[in-house]
Amino acid sequence: YVPKDQPHLEFDYDGCKMCIDTSIRRARTCAFISLVWAEGIRAYCSRSFDNFVWVNTFNNPSMNKAVGMAQITLFLALFTPGLSTEVLGLYVYEIHSFGWAIAFLGAFSCGVGCELYKYFASKFIEEAELADYKENEEDRTGDIALRL
């Protein structure tokens, strides 16, 4: 019901549904891109508990190949007709540069979060001397004991 003296309250439900569907498609596409990029960044962040991501970043050739293959697979999934839209529900041509920027910011913030966690956790590990544990040889019961 729309009062006759307030025609500005009229609402276009079909236009709204189209807007919502388009927004969901764009969000899904940005989230997918950000997820793949974040996993690549997280892989480099989690190489070491002691060193930050920028220390010897590309020293592991196997990991570089794996992250590279993930990026190639991402772009194949995004730009293969039929696979991207009908199967995965990704609409890469709808997100424009703003969507790519949002995806990058999501992945970058994941990397920043991982590095911040590593920084603060290292303080607790050093404090509790958990970084220098060694495994003993098997004791008489056959169990392996850890020495802190």
Side-chain angles (χ1 to χ4, degrees):
Y1 169 75
V2 178
K4 293 188 188 263
D5 60 336
Q6 297 178 342
H8 63 279
L9 294 178
E10 196 170 315
F11 194 71
D12 180 17
Y13 290 105
D14 292 332
C16 184
K17 181 171 177 4
M18 184 185 77
C19 180
I20 290 172
D21 290 343
T22 302
S23 296
I24 290 173
R25 286 196 315 246
R26 289 176 179 171
R28 183 185 316 122
T29 304
C30 290
F32 184 78
I33 294 167
S34 185
L35 174 74
V36 174
W37 286 350
E39 280 301 310
I41 291 171
R42 191 195 57 75
Y44 286 110
C45 288
S46 60
R47 292 174 309 120
S48 169
F49 289 116
D50 301 331
N51 297 325
F52 292 106
V53 70
W54 53 83
V55 177
N56 297 325
T57 303
F58 302 108
N59 279 2
N60 187 342
S62 298
M63 188 170 72
N64 296 335
K65 291 174 190 171
V67 171
M69 288 300 295
Q71 301 313 307
I72 291 169
T73 305
L74 167 68
F75 285 99
L76 285 175
L78 290 175
F79 294 107
T80 302
L83 175 65
S84 62
T85 54
E86 280 80 27
V87 176
L88 297 175
L90 305 174
Y91 294 84
V92 69
Y93 298 109
E94 289 184 3
I95 64 170
H96 310 293
S97 59
F98 180 74
W100 287 97
I102 293 295
F104 173 77
L105 285 174
F108 183 75
S109 63
C110 174
V112 169
C114 289
E115 290 301 307
L116 284 174
Y117 175 79
K118 193 186 301 185
Y119 173 76
F120 288 114
S122 69
K123 302 300 179 195
F124 292 109
I125 289 173
E126 290 171 6
E127 207 173 273
E129 297 180 17
L130 296 175
D132 294 328
Y133 77 90
K134 299 199 188 302
E135 293 184 9
N136 279 342
E137 296 181 19
E138 288 188 3
D139 61 5
R140 294 181 188 178
T141 60
D143 294 330
I144 295 177
L146 297 179
R147 179 184 308 158
L148 296 178

